Amino acid sequence: MANDSDCPQRRQFLKAAALSACGVLFAAAPARAQAQGGVLQVWSCGGLAEAMMPANESFLAQTGTKVVYTGAFAAALGKSLMGSATTDVFAGRVLDLAKKLRAKNKMVSFAPLCFSRYVLVTPKGNPARIKGIEDLARPGVRVVLAPEASPPGGAAALKILEKAGILEAAMKNAVTKGSCVQRTMDDIMAGRGDASIVELRVTRLRDFAGKMDVLDIDEGLFPPGPLTFTVGVMKSASNPALAQSYVKFLTSAEGQAYFERQGFIPAMSEKGRQLVEKFGVKDV
């Protein structure tokens, strides 16, 4: 799923994130970073915002560095950075984007940050007794989808159904064919649908956490492209050493915990390291 930037509620959240200087201080962690101060410009795709913001607050508390954060649609940010736009650090979805920025000498280096995963969601109690992806093709099951959502939101779910061999049957069962992944969750929570496919991170968002049942999907069905998130230091960084320190923090055990809490697979976890090797998420 993408950043859901086409949802009004999501746009409002990301606007607030972009305007925030992340001024709330968290208690310093045991492994305290060296005090540095200054200001750091950080851009990321909006899907990472709920993890990035508290991580930025912790970095401020430990280093005195104020992170000016912007979360928005990754493709738009990437296009801007390939042009004349500048920032210090960029965390984006899709490995090819990081590689393109490196090839164009726009990014100095990048590291694997985290991975996404897809799940089935049902109303609380799972009244339709959904057990797996194949049940979305079962007659009478009300499927909720958002095929018109910004990439990879709609496209990723459809690809999973296609790889499972049930795309046509599931589409016939669809009672919602929307344009915003998060809005489809309202149908699930209200019981107007029996099942949907979303990224696990969506189920951790404040409006949805604990309000639906979550079932695993075989990772062999996941489309590989949208799964990978990287974080890199940009050529335009005003303080490269500070930017590198921030990247090191995000990829530390403390920094990675913020992403795990929001439903991502940390790149530095055992599973994350397997995915790093599987998808070749390495600097070039």
Side-chain angles (χ1 to χ4, degrees):
M1 191 177 62
N3 309 308
D4 298 320
S5 54
D6 55 335
C7 304
Q9 179 183 4
R10 184 66 173 168
R11 286 200 301 268
Q12 184 178 11
F13 170 80
L14 292 177
K15 182 179 180 181
L19 294 175
S20 172
C22 297
V24 180
L25 295 180
F26 278 6
R32 188 174 180 85
Q34 182 179 358
Q36 293 175 335
V39 176
L40 196 65
Q41 299 280 345
V42 175
W43 289 11
S44 90
C45 58
L48 293 172
E50 284 80 8
M52 295 288 285
M53 292 180 71
N56 292 342
E57 291 164 355
S58 182
F59 190 71
L60 168 64
Q62 295 184 48
T63 68
T65 300
K66 182 168 65 175
V67 177
V68 180
Y69 173 66
T70 299
F73 187 43
L77 294 181
K79 184 177 181 180
S80 296
L81 292 171
M82 290 292 283
S84 59
T86 61
T87 189
D88 297 321
V89 175
F90 176 59
R93 184 197 289 269
V94 182
L95 178 60
D96 281 350
L97 176 55
K99 288 183 175 180
K100 287 178 181 178
L101 289 168
R102 285 282 283 117
K104 290 290 186 179
N105 201 31
K106 298 286 186 174
M107 181 179 280
V108 175
S109 63
F110 68 82
L113 178 62
C114 60
F115 296 88
S116 193
R117 56 177 293 205
Y118 293 90
V119 294
L120 290 170
V121 291
T122 76
K124 271 291 191 181
N126 192 3
R129 299 294 182 263
I130 303 296
K131 295 181 180 179
I133 191 74
E134 65 280 355
D135 286 331
L136 274 62
R138 181 168 24 109
V141 171
R142 298 170 299 164
V143 177
V144 177
L145 296 171
E148 298 178 7
S150 56
L158 298 184
K159 189 64 177 179
I160 289 171
L161 293 171
E162 180 183 349
K163 292 180 75 173
I166 61 168
L167 177 59
E168 184 177 354
M171 290 298 286
K172 287 181 179 178
N173 282 344
V175 295
T176 298
K177 297 178 181 179
S179 61
C180 174
V181 173
Q182 293 193 36
R183 280 179 176 168
T184 65
M185 296 300 90
D186 293 333
D187 287 341
I188 293 295
M189 291 188 298
R192 294 188 292 268
D194 297 317
S196 187
I197 299 171
V198 298
E199 287 178 284
L200 179 61
R201 70 172 184 84
V202 176
T203 72
R204 303 289 175 87
L205 297 177
R206 181 179 56 190
D207 290 343
F208 311 134
K211 297 179 181 178
M212 59 192 73
D213 286 2
V214 179
L215 293 82
D216 288 335
I217 295 176
D218 180 354
E219 67 179 51
L221 299 176
F222 297 168
L227 299 181
T228 303
F229 294 82
T230 61
V231 58
V233 174
M234 302 303 294
K235 184 77 171 181
S236 57
S238 57
N239 186 336
L242 180 58
Q244 288 284 6
S245 178
Y246 175 79
V247 170
K248 185 176 181 181
F249 169 74
L250 288 188
T251 55
S252 70
E254 180 187 356
Q256 293 275 277
Y258 291 104
F259 298 92
E260 185 171 24
R261 280 196 288 272
Q262 289 304 131
F264 296 98
I265 299 170
M268 304 308 159
S269 66
E270 181 178 354
K271 180 62 177 177
R273 286 190 288 270
Q274 293 173 6
L275 293 174
V276 166
E277 292 300 319
K278 179 178 179 179
F279 296 125
V281 191
K282 298 177 182 177
D283 200 355
V284 290

